[in-house]
């Protein structure tokens, strides 16, 4: 399936979800906490444990931080978009930026890889380990879309 098809499938899942929320916010580090708390509040509507909500918060924090730091190079004039949806008992999360994109997504997914010297390069590692489904779609010069899904453990 092409990246464009993956995004269309997720957008369709979003549009047909039982409950959904989209927010667009300024690309500043203070909004990482806003996105994190919004995702946790939205996730609490499902039967996630406290530990699972913490994992959800970390994944969203990392995704939004990546958009701000790597996608927009800390440009506060840019905007990050986050969509949340409840679908079939799970939470869907889409985080988008229209930033610089990535040349090599596979390389960016490697532990300890970062384009910024003082960063640890573990954001994608955390997102992948905490989510049941995690996809990164990026086009150089056009931006990056993160697709994440998490199902509460029963």
């Amino acid at each position: 399936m092409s990246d464009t098809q993956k995004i269309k499938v997720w957008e369709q899942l979003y549009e047909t979800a039982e409950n959904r929320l989209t927010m667009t916010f300024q690309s500043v580090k203070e909004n990482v906490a806003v996105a994190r708390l919004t995702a946790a509040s939205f996730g609490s509507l499902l039967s996630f444990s406290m530990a699972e909500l913490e994992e959800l918060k970390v994944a969203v924090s990392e995704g939004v931080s990546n958009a701000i730091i790597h996608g927009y190079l800390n440009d506060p004039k840019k905007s990050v978009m986050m969509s949340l949806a409840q679908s079939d008992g799970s939470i869907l999360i889409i985080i988008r930026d229209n930033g610089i994109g990535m040349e090599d997504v596979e390389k960016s997914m490697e532990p300890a890889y970062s384009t910024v010297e003082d960063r640890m390069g573990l954001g994608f590692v955390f997102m992948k380990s905490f989510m049941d489904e995690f996809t990164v779609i990026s086009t150089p010069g056009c931006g990056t879309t993160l697709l994440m899904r998490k199902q509460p453990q029963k």
Side-chain angles (χ1 to χ4, degrees):
M1 181 181 305
S2 75
D3 289 346
T4 303
Q5 289 171 320
K6 286 179 192 173
I7 290 173
K8 285 185 191 257
V9 166
W10 275 70
E11 286 173 344
Q12 185 176 27
L13 285 171
Y14 178 82
E15 288 302 320
T16 59
E18 295 95 47
N19 189 10
R20 59 187 189 270
L21 166 75
T22 295
M23 58 190 291
T24 302
F25 46 90
Q26 187 178 355
S27 177
V28 294
K29 65 182 179 180
E30 292 81 7
N31 285 336
V32 173
V34 174
R36 172 187 177 96
L37 292 173
T38 301
S41 295
F42 198 84
S44 71
L45 300 172
L46 297 168
S47 56
F48 286 110
S49 68
M50 291 303 289
E52 291 170 321
L53 286 174
E54 286 303 315
E55 291 174 346
L56 186 68
K57 290 187 326 189
V58 169
V60 167
S61 294
E62 293 295 335
V64 172
S65 292
N66 278 356
I68 294 168
I69 296 166
H70 300 287
Y72 290 136
L73 306 174
N74 293 300
D75 183 349
K77 296 181 188 120
K78 305 292 185 177
S79 296
V80 177
M81 189 273 295
M82 181 174 76
S83 297
L84 306 168
Q86 293 174 355
S87 179
D88 295 325
S90 64
I91 187 168
L92 307 178
I93 304 164
I94 304 170
I95 299 173
R96 288 186 178 157
D97 68 65
N98 295 314
I100 63 171
M102 290 180 263
E103 291 286 338
D104 188 345
V105 172
E106 293 292 321
K107 180 84 173 158
S108 298
M109 299 283 280
E110 292 177 7
Y113 175 81
S114 180
T115 58
V116 178
E117 197 170 299
D118 66 339
R119 307 303 294 185
M120 292 175 51
L122 295 173
F124 284 150
V125 173
F126 290 144
M127 287 182 264
K128 188 174 183 179
S129 69
F130 291 154
M131 292 289 128
D132 297 323
E133 189 175 339
F134 177 65
T135 303
V136 179
I137 299 169
S138 190
T139 304
C142 295
T144 302
T145 300
L146 305 179
L147 307 172
M148 299 185 273
R149 177 195 302 262
K150 187 166 184 67
Q151 178 88 30
Q153 300 301 309
K154 305 269 174 173

